[in-house]
Amino acid sequence: MQPLTVLSLHFDDGVLSCGGQIWETATAGGAVRVITLFAGAAPRPVPPFAEVQHRMWGDPPLPTALRRAEDHAAYCRLGCPDVHHLPIPDAVYRLSGSGTARYGSEDAIFGPVHAEEQGAPPVLAELIRPLVLP
């Protein structure tokens, strides 16, 4: 059986999108690895739009740590404990060079990529490359 590497952009994306394939591969004895790309810690203080998100989530004290733990637990339930969380924070936490939020609203999240992130794909590729199963 070929190994399976799942790239999950955010917490729970892989579970929700590929959960059946992960479970089938793992229970058949295949190697499965999940890489969650945007799983880095939130800055302190968090940007205002992130505060709004936290309130909608019930204002947990350490939301990123909580989400990492939930993410790992979900994959373990599918038989895949090999989970890697990359250090890049999710969009609501990313700050510009001037310290302001790069994505400070829902419109910004679903709009164009921030100018300071135009070079992000090669950086992501370099972080992912050593983790992809052969």
Side-chain angles (χ1 to χ4, degrees):
M1 172 167 283
Q2 289 194 0
L4 174 66
T5 300
V6 175
L7 298 180
S8 180
L9 292 179
H10 310 97
F11 299 118
D12 72 26
D13 286 353
V15 164
L16 295 174
S17 300
C18 305
Q21 184 66 49
I22 292 168
W23 183 83
E24 283 185 2
T25 303
T27 57
V32 182
R33 175 171 291 161
V34 176
I35 305 167
T36 302
L37 277 61
F38 301 109
R44 291 287 180 209
V46 298
F49 183 60
E51 286 180 1
V52 170
Q53 302 300 309
H54 289 190
R55 282 193 295 277
M56 288 191 320
W57 302 337
D59 216 10
L62 298 170
T64 307
L66 177 63
R67 296 295 311 275
R68 270 193 216 114
E70 291 171 345
D71 197 53
H72 190 261
Y75 289 113
C76 285
R77 293 280 309 253
L78 295 174
C80 173
D82 190 1
V83 179
H84 298 263
H85 294 123
L86 297 186
I88 300 168
D90 203 355
V92 297
Y93 301 123
R94 294 200 293 270
L95 302 175
S96 69
S98 65
T100 60
R102 289 182 181 173
Y103 303 96
S105 69
E106 200 162 309
D107 286 341
I109 288 173
F110 295 106
V113 173
H114 190 277
E116 292 180 18
E117 297 195 344
Q118 295 297 321
V123 172
L124 283 171
E126 288 307 309
L127 289 170
I128 295 166
R129 190 179 331 278
L131 298 173
V132 173
L133 291 172

